[in-house]
Amino acid sequence: MNVVVLGDGLLGSEIIRQSGWEYISRRKDGFYINNVGSFLSPDIDVIVNCIALTDTYSEDRKSNWDVNCVYVDKLIDYCNKHNIKLVHISTDYLYSNSRAVAGEDDVPVHCGNWYGYTKLLSDGLVQLRANDYLL
């Protein structure tokens, strides 16, 4: 199985370290989120997306929107077009203080900032649009 991790931040680096999977990143490859297809190969079986703008204090709506939503939407399109499974990393930041055995109506969602709002939207995008995914 051909698995590629996107991003080598804290989470991506740990997944790469433990799995030994190939990865593509801004630092190593000059990966740019607006041109997803030029960095990826259609022979990939699984993409593990570890790219997100995670500054919970940022008031920069556009940057959060571009990275956490627009990029994810483009990645979904690429994965759907090439029959690639998308593993999209959510965040416990959104779902903190949830009940141990919670139903959909019981999970409080923490969205007091642009990071929270855009991560919640990207989770929804994946669930609504991706053909093959793990969230």
Side-chain angles (χ1 to χ4, degrees), residues 74-93:
K74 290 178 182 181
L75 188 57
I76 292 166
D77 286 342
Y78 185 85
C79 289
N80 285 347
K81 180 179 179 181
H82 298 287
N83 297 313
I84 298 170
K85 182 176 196 120
L86 174 61
V87 177
H88 181 72
I89 307 297
S90 186
T91 173
D92 61 350
Y93 180 82

Side-chain angles (χ1 to χ4, degrees), residues 34-106:
N34 285 334
N35 200 2
V36 172
S38 66
F39 287 91
L40 301 174
S41 166
D43 68 342
I44 296 169
D45 298 307
V46 178
I47 291 175
V48 180
N49 179 35
C50 295
I51 294 175
L53 192 115
T54 60
D55 182 358
T56 59
Y57 294 103
S58 173
E59 294 182 18
D60 183 354
R61 180 196 63 80
K62 182 169 178 9
S63 292
N64 275 281
W65 179 257
D66 288 347
V67 175
N68 296 339
C69 290
V70 174
Y71 153 71
V72 171
D73 196 46
K74 290 178 182 181
L75 188 57
I76 292 166
D77 286 342
Y78 185 85
C79 289
N80 285 347
K81 180 179 179 181
H82 298 287
N83 297 313
I84 298 170
K85 182 176 196 120
L86 174 61
V87 177
H88 181 72
I89 307 297
S90 186
T91 173
D92 61 350
Y93 180 82
L94 282 177
Y95 307 102
S96 60
N97 302 315
S98 61
R99 299 171 78 186
V101 183
E104 287 188 34
D105 296 331
D106 297 324

